[in-house]
Structures are given as C-alpha cells and as structure tokens.
C-alpha cells in the first residue's frame, strides 16, 4: 500500500508564487486604479495595513520565539488553555440584601466573577458587607468591588471574613478599583492631592500583601477608549498610568515585586476586530518590558492582568438590538486576545437600567463563546497569523512611541495637566465624529440602514441621549469626556421624534435608468431615515406627470429625484417646475456636468456619498422648522 504522501502532489500541482508575482497579478486586476487608495487600509491608529501578508513579513518581528506562558507573555500568561472569568456587575448601592440575592441567582447562570458597585457616599458597615457576601463561596469565584474611596475598608472586611471562615488568603481572587489617576482623568483632579493618593496606594498594597491573588489598584483605560481614543492611544495612556504608579510607589519604598502584582488593567474592547486582538497581545508585552526595567526578582511580577469591557462608545439608542451584535464581536476579540476577565455591557445600558433579558443575553454571549465555540480551549489562537502578528507589532510600536512622548513630558500626571493626552484623544474623537457624519465609520441603525419606522419612546429626551462629564470645581486639568459616537445623530433624530405625528415626508421620485434610480433611492432612503423622516419609496414612474401627481397626493415636504446623471438636465427642471413651492427639491447624486445648470434653475440640494450627514440633515430640519 502506497504511502499517503506519495499520492499527494500538491507541491508539484501548486508551485509557490513569489510576492512579486502576487503584486503583478494585483496590478493587472486593478486595471490602473491606485493601489494605495484601493487596497491599503489606514486606520486612525497611524499605520498602514496591507491587503495581504506572507511568511516573509514575520522576519523582522522579534517576539515570535516566546511561547504561551513565557516572558514577555505576549502569547498569554497561561500555557494550557484560554480560560477567562465571566463577570457581571451588580448595583449594591440601594440594598445589600437584594444585591446578595441577585449574586446568588446569577452564579447559577454561568457567572464566575461578581462585581459589586458600592455607594461611596454611604458608609458601608461590616455587617452590611457580610450580608452582601452571605452564602457566596469565595474561593470558587472572582470577587470585585467598585467603590474607589471605600477600597481600604473593603480589604479590611475581606481579611477578617477570610480569617473568620478559615479560608486560605491565597484562595481569594478579585479586586478593588482604587484608581486615583482615573479620578484625575475623568474629573480633572485628585480627591485630595497626588502625594496623598499615592500614600493610600502604598497603604492598600501593604495591607493586602497576604492576599496574593487580589488586585487593589486599577488602571482604567476604558474611560479613554470610551472618549473616542484609538487602540494605540488607549494602550499608550494605560502604560503611562501604570508607570506613574510604579515610579511613585517605588520612590515611597515599595519594590516592583510588591507593586506590579497588585495592579489590574481595565481596557475597552472595540469593534475593530483584528486591531483589538492585537491590542490585548501588545499590552502584555509592553507592560512586561516596563516592569522588567524595574529589575523584579521574578518574571512573574511582569504578568499583566487584563479585565476587558465591551465598548460603550459605539452603543446606540436607536435600533438598540444591534448592540448585542457589537458586544458579541467585541467579546470575541477580548477572548481571543487573552483577557483574564470580561464584562459584556448589556445592550440597553445606554438608555435604561439593564433589564433581566439584556443581562441574560450579555452573560450568554460569553457562555456560548466558551461552551459552544470553545474559545477557552486554545492558548493564543491568533498566534502565528501573519496579519495579527504584524498588527501586534504595529500597535506595540506606536503605543510605545506615545508612551515615550508622555514620559518625556514628565509622566502621565504632568502630561495630563499640560493637556497633551486630552488633545490627542480629542483629535481622534473629532475624526471619528466626522467619519460617522460622512458614513465612513458605520453605526448600523443610526447612519447606516436606519429603521425609518422607529420612533423614540416618550420619556426619552436629550439627557437620555447625551453624555455628561462631571468636572470638579477645583480641577487642575480638563477631564476627558466619555461619550457615544452616535450621540449627535441621535440628538438630531430626537428633534424629529418630538412631534412624531408631523414627521417630514420624503418622496423618492424614481424615474429613468432602472439601475441608477434603484441605487440612488436606496441611498436616499437611508440618508433621510437617519433624521427620522418618513420615506415614500416607489418602484419607478414612466413619466414626470405621474410622479408629480403622486408626490402632491402624499403632501411631500421633500422630493428627491432619483435617476442617472445624463437624465438629470432634462428631468429635474421639469419636475421642479411642476412641483413648484410645494416641496423642497433634492437631487440624489452630484452630476458634475450639469450641477451648475441645475443650481441656476434653483436646485439647492444634492445628496451623495461625500455629503456630511449631520450638517445636511440639520439644514433640512432648519428649513422645515424643526428646532
């Protein structure tokens, strides 16, 4: 019996092609089109992404020799699987009894990481704390507390509870989120002073020394992410915050081995699937390099603990069920990138207290990734991918460059006081806002494929849609502003929805070339639906008079002529004359050869792929008296 390999002749049948041959074939297929414009992706992160990568593109990447579990941990801290904790946060500000009841309930539904949100204004007693954790088996789960100011008290309560119930202290895993640099970032000041804050950090680390697997300092880069920052800016800022803690606390007498294992990073998980996978991998490597510079006694101190939370920046209030899909791809990126714990933000969090259904979907998203997709079985499943390895390298290089720029400005605190970090984030946020308005960055349900029949429920108003930032009165710096990318367009649509019975009527006057009128009608429908206008689409008219008659019967406020460029010079003036002042005339497209003539005929509006959605729709609202 012949050996299998003797029968397989793939190498002979499919000889290898060189990169030059690939490039020649691409150029031939492009037929003279610009290679750079057509095929090179230029994300806001500041580097170029090629349309394909080959084995030779891995030649200059130095970190490829490291295996999972090996320094610098780019391929994961783990070497056997890709396990992560499924986390759900619980509001314990109103009733610790109800919070405990909910915790016990969701622990039966797949959660193995609890996050209790503690009211910072009220004094939490030890009795209330014990009630909160009643009947919860501490060694079996990860236990987290969002409280910041009450962190020290919570650590004291935890230590006593472990001693009273005779648990080993190293059985406790989890965190408190003491985060003075986060306060500076989102409010513009420290609670008291920088020196006081770092003294508290030192005290927390010393107090929790026996809790070997419990983190007491949190670096919250998700606030930067949700302010519209790029993945590079989020990572660069996180590294600078981390190094600020290391520098100040080592100056106060702690060792790097005391500090680094007590730090947990919180990152946002955005929608740029491959970039996000690469970001998490790059984060572990760069943090390991920073810790290495402080000469730890063990490489274990260089391990980075990542808690990921799906993005709130791209959540939408209109067509909110799409948020489920966003959360799914984002949680996939976080899992594949090697996050240690993950929160999937409920799809309705942006506009209401999450419902039981929303929380269930959020939990089950992760459970499916584990139990049905087996994302937890393979360590660093993206490792070796030509694309992912190159993206990891690019993000690492650019994030490191930003980190060095911040360090050269005096470190995170000084750079933030100078406005360096805010300026960079603001620039990226403005570009993203522009891209959303220009439909270059899609938010399905808002600027792409909006549901024209959806009307915002009564009770939702500007305060529901628009994010606010709490700037301290005695702020020493301008805080960053977390917000949602959809806000401006949703506020625009909300104006229309305030009087839903009087929504402007948009009549799509489809005539002429069947292919062009259909394409332009589809574009126009989505364009005006983004402002909540009522759309009347048509299969097409054989003559102008039939279309004009129906437009008048519909009492159209806006008539959009949808045809081909060569037909517009004849069709548009005739339609405009017969419609008269009964409606605003709009041309779908921008017919270069006839646009000046049409403007002379009184045509003011042309909508096309280069139109700014926000500015153009705002102008229509003003003309229609919607304010």
């Amino acid at each position: 019996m012949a050996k299998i390999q003797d029968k397989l002749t793939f190498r002979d049948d499919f000889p290898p092609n060189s990169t030059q041959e690939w490039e020649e074939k691409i150029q031939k297929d492009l037929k003279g089109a610009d290679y750079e414009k057509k095929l090179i992706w230029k994300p806001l992160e500041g580097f170029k992404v090629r349309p394909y990568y080959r084995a030779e593109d891995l030649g200059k990447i130095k970190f490829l020799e490291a295996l999972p579990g090996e320094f610098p941990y780019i391929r994961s801290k783990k070497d056997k699987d890709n396990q992560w904790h499924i986390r759900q946060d619980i509001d314990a500000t109103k009733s610790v009894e109800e919070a405990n009841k909910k915790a016990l309930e969701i622990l039966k539904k797949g959660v193995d990481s609890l996050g209790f949100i503690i009211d910072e204004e009220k004094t939490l007693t030890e009795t209330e704390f014990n009630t909160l954790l009643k009947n919860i088996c501490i060694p079996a789960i990860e236990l987290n507390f969002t409280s910041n100011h009450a962190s020290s008290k919570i650590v004291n309560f935890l230590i006593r509870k472990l001693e009273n119930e005779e648990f080993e202290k190293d059985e406790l895993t989890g965190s408190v989120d003491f985060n003075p640099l986060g306060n500076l970032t989102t409010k513009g000041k420290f609670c008291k002073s920088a020196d006081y804050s770092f003294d508290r950090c030192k005290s927390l680390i010393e107090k929790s020394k026996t809790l070997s697997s419990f983190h007491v300092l949190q670096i919250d880069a998700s606030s930067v992410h949700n302010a519209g920052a790029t993945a590079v800016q989020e990572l660069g800022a996180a590294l600078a915050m981390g190094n600020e803690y290391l520098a100040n606390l080592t100056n106060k007498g702690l060792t790097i081995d005391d500090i680094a294992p007590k730090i947990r990073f919180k990152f946002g998980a955005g929608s740029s699937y491959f970039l996000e996978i690469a970001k998490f991998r790059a984060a572990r490597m760069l943090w390991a390099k920073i810790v290495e510079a402080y000469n730890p006694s063990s490489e274990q101190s260089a391990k980075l603990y990542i808690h990921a939370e799906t993005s709130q920046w791209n959540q939408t209030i209109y067509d909110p069920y799409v948020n489920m899909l966003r959360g799914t791809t984002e949680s996939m990126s976080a899992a594949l990138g090697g996050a240690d714990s993950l929160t999937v933000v409920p799809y309705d969090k942006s506009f209401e207290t999450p419902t039981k259904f929303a929380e269930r979907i959020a939990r089950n998203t992760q459970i499916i990734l584990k139990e049905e997709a087996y994302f937890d079985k393979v360590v660093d499943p993206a490792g070796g991918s030509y694309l992912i390895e190159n993206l990891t390298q690019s993000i690492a290089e650019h994030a490191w460059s930003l980190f060095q720029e911040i360090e050269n400005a005096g470190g995170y605190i000084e750079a933030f006081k100078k406005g360096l970090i805010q300026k960079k984030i603001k620039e990226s946020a403005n570009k993203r806002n522009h891209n959303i308005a220009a439909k270059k960055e899609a938010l399905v349900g808002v600027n792409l494929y909006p549901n024209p029949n959806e009307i915002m429920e009564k009770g939702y108003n500007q305060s529901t849609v628009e994010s606010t930032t709490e700037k301290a009165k005695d702020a020493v710096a301008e805080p960053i502003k977390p917000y949602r990318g959809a806000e401006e367009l949703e506020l625009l649509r909300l104006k229309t929805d305030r009087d839903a019975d009087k929504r402007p009527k948009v009549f799509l006057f489809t005539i002429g070339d069947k292919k062009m009128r259909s394409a332009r009608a589809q574009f126009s429908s989505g364009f005006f639906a983004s402002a909540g206008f009522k759309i009347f689409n048509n299969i097409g008219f054989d003559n102008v008079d039939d279309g004009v008659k129906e437009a008048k019967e519909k009492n159209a406020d806006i008539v959009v002529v949808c045809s081909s460029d060569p037909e517009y010079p004849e069709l548009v003036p005739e339609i405009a004359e017969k419609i008269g002042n009964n409606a605003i005339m709009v041309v779908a497209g921008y017919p270069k050869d006839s646009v000046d003539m049409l403007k002379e005929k009184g045509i003011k509006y042309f909508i096309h792929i280069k139109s700014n959605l926000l500015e153009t729709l705002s102008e229509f609202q003003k003309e229609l008296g919607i304010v």
Side-chain angles (χ1 to χ4, degrees), residues 356-581:
K356 287 188 175 181
F357 173 74
E359 290 181 336
R360 180 187 178 196
I361 293 296
R363 287 192 302 270
N364 285 354
T365 298
Q366 296 193 59
I367 294 171
I368 288 174
L369 293 183
K370 284 190 175 188
E371 303 300 332
E372 296 187 21
Y374 306 118
F375 275 36
D376 59 338
K377 304 302 183 196
V378 179
V379 182
D380 189 29
S385 160
Y386 301 157
L387 170 64
I388 298 297
E389 298 294 10
N390 276 276
L391 288 179
T392 303
Q393 175 79 356
S394 295
I395 286 179
E397 288 176 351
H398 284 72
W400 189 256
S401 177
L402 176 58
F403 166 71
Q404 290 179 313
E405 185 178 351
I406 294 171
E407 289 303 300
N408 289 335
Y412 186 85
I413 295 174
E414 289 304 312
F416 199 84
K417 287 180 178 179
K418 294 173 183 175
L420 170 67
I421 296 166
Q422 300 92 314
K423 181 179 180 225
K424 290 183 178 294
I425 295 171
K426 186 68 175 177
E427 287 172 354
S428 295
N430 287 340
K431 287 178 183 177
R432 298 187 75 177
N433 293 341
H434 172 78
N435 287 344
I436 289 170
K439 300 176 76 170
K440 292 180 180 178
E441 183 164 348
L443 285 175
V444 175
V446 177
N447 70 348
L448 188 69
Y449 306 120
N451 180 359
N453 299 317
E454 183 179 15
I455 298 173
M456 184 73 77
E457 293 180 25
K458 290 183 178 179
Y460 292 115
N461 50 37
Q462 183 169 339
S463 63
T464 307
V465 176
E466 192 172 21
S467 301
T468 57
T469 302
E470 181 186 348
K471 181 179 179 180
K473 293 181 180 179
D474 52 347
V476 296
E478 187 67 28
I480 65 165
K481 180 185 178 181
Y483 73 106
R484 293 179 305 103
E487 284 181 16
E488 287 186 314
L489 277 171
E490 288 183 336
L491 286 169
L492 178 90
R493 186 166 179 176
L494 184 63
K495 289 181 182 179
T496 304
D497 285 354
R498 283 175 183 159
D499 194 350
D501 295 331
K502 295 182 180 179
R503 284 198 297 162
K505 299 173 183 176
V506 178
F507 183 85
L508 304 183
F509 201 125
T510 50
I511 190 169
D513 185 287
K514 291 182 178 180
K515 183 178 179 181
M516 288 304 300
R517 76 189 188 194
S518 177
R520 282 175 163 164
Q522 183 179 13
F523 170 82
S524 301
S525 177
F527 193 95
F528 285 101
S530 293
F533 292 3
K534 188 172 184 177
I535 311 297
F536 291 100
N537 207 340
N538 302 282
I539 60 173
F541 298 100
D542 294 327
N543 57 73
V544 169
D545 289 337
D546 287 347
V548 170
K549 180 183 177 182
E550 189 160 339
K552 289 182 177 179
E553 288 177 353
K554 298 292 186 185
N555 293 317
D557 299 291
I558 298 172
V559 172
V560 186
V561 184
C562 302
S563 189
S564 64
D565 287 3
E567 294 172 288
Y568 279 144
E570 182 179 348
L571 287 172
V572 174
E574 183 182 357
I575 295 170
E577 182 181 355
K578 292 181 177 180
I579 291 292
N581 296 323

Side-chain angles (χ1 to χ4, degrees), residues 218-256:
Q218 177 170 271
I219 294 169
D220 187 1
S222 68
S223 58
V224 175
H225 167 94
N226 289 319
T230 66
V232 164
Q233 290 169 342
E234 180 187 7
L235 179 51
L239 295 172
M241 281 190 262
N243 191 55
E244 191 77 52
Y245 284 118
L246 298 184
N248 279 276
L249 293 174
T250 50
N251 285 339
K252 289 184 176 293
L254 295 178
T255 69
I256 187 64

Side-chain angles (χ1 to χ4, degrees), residues 69-80:
E70 292 182 356
F71 184 90
Y73 309 111
I74 188 166
R75 299 201 60 193
S76 175
K77 304 194 304 288
K78 302 175 279 285
D79 60 0
K80 291 184 174 62

Side-chain angles (χ1 to χ4, degrees), residues 38-39 53 57 91 139 141 171 184 293 333 348-349 370 465 488 527 590:
K38 287 285 184 181
L39 298 180
Y53 290 90
D57 296 309
D91 185 354
I141 64 166
E171 291 182 306
L184 173 67
S333 294
D348 58 349
K349 185 177 180 180
K370 284 190 175 188
V465 176
E488 287 186 314
F527 193 95
Y590 195 79

